[in-house]
Amino acid sequence: MPKGDKEELKFLDVKTRQPFMASEYTIREKSGRFFAVTKAPSGPHEAWRVVSKDFAAKNK
């Protein structure tokens, strides 16, 4: 995978309860767990998804 191209992940928009795919996300660590975070398509809120430590290291 070329640098800059991130794997597409499935997120859940909690406001609309609809899943969506995104490849533009940031990796955040909180309380020792890793999350992929992206903007939800239905508004200004964010969608968070738990990811593995290995996935986080590869996609930071």
Side-chain angles (χ1 to χ4, degrees):
M1 184 173 351
K3 190 171 177 103
D5 288 345
K6 292 184 178 179
E7 182 179 334
E8 194 168 47
L9 293 177
K10 184 183 254 185
F11 290 87
L12 179 68
D13 184 339
V14 295
K15 299 269 185 188
T16 63
R17 296 189 176 140
Q18 296 295 314
F20 66 96
M21 300 297 285
S23 58
E24 294 292 322
Y25 49 83
T26 58
I27 301 296
R28 297 189 196 166
E29 183 180 359
K30 191 170 188 174
S31 302
R33 298 181 81 186
F34 292 92
F35 299 87
V37 183
T38 190
K39 184 189 173 306
S42 69
H45 57 282
E46 295 177 326
W48 291 56
R49 177 198 162 123
V50 175
V51 295
S52 71
K53 185 177 181 180
D54 292 337
F55 182 89
K58 282 194 277 184
N59 289 283
K60 265 198 168 170

